[in-house]
Amino acid sequence: MLTPHRLLAQIEMDAHRPAAEIGRLLVEMAVAGPLKLNRAVTVLDDAVRAGAHASVWSILTEALPALMPAVGERARAGLGDLLAVGARVAALAGARADIPELAAVATRRGGSRVVEEARRLHQRLSA
């Protein structure tokens, strides 16, 4: 079984594993419960600082749609931080994308961290 520590090690070390696959594994483990998003955020943020903008953006492109909370659903702990990393890496990578699940959260009323960061990322991707 892939443990959270092994997933994070793969994100840090495995240049051969396609980023989209890492994104799918991140979602699988976050949804199943053994991976806390804040741990993934730390590793992804480190990868961004190391210059892996395109890889991190590919991971997030795969992961974010599945991690966005549905209407009435509570956001996972750490999602606001993950969205903040997404906004930073999108700016660095010059990313443009249409992510309907992100747009749905970005257009919600309220000022929660998740909604605010979703707005910021959505605006960055739409600029």
Side-chain angles (χ1 to χ4, degrees):
M1 179 178 153
L2 188 62
T3 66
H5 296 289
R6 290 181 72 192
L7 172 64
L8 297 177
Q10 285 178 6
I11 292 171
E12 287 180 319
M13 305 282 216
D14 193 351
H16 301 292
R17 183 177 294 270
E21 183 180 344
I22 294 171
R24 286 188 293 276
L25 288 170
L26 190 151
V27 169
E28 182 181 310
M29 294 187 71
V31 169
L35 177 67
K36 295 182 180 189
L37 288 181
N38 63 338
R39 292 184 181 172
V41 166
T42 300
V43 173
L44 292 171
D45 209 24
D46 287 347
V48 170
R49 282 194 295 274
H53 310 135
S55 294
V56 172
W57 179 244
S58 293
I59 290 167
L60 293 178
T61 299
E62 186 68 33
L64 287 176
L67 293 173
M68 294 292 101
V71 174
E73 184 179 89
R74 187 178 172 103
R76 285 182 172 69
L79 182 57
D81 293 332
L82 188 65
L83 290 165
V85 170
R88 282 193 303 278
V89 76
L92 292 167
R96 301 289 178 263
D98 178 30
I99 303 174
E101 298 86 350
L102 176 67
V105 173
T107 58
R108 290 183 188 165
R109 293 180 188 221
S112 72
R113 173 89 193 278
V114 169
V115 171
E116 291 293 324
E117 294 296 343
R119 284 183 190 136
R120 192 163 71 99
L121 177 54
H122 180 66
Q123 288 170 351
R124 168 59 60 190
L125 295 176
S126 302

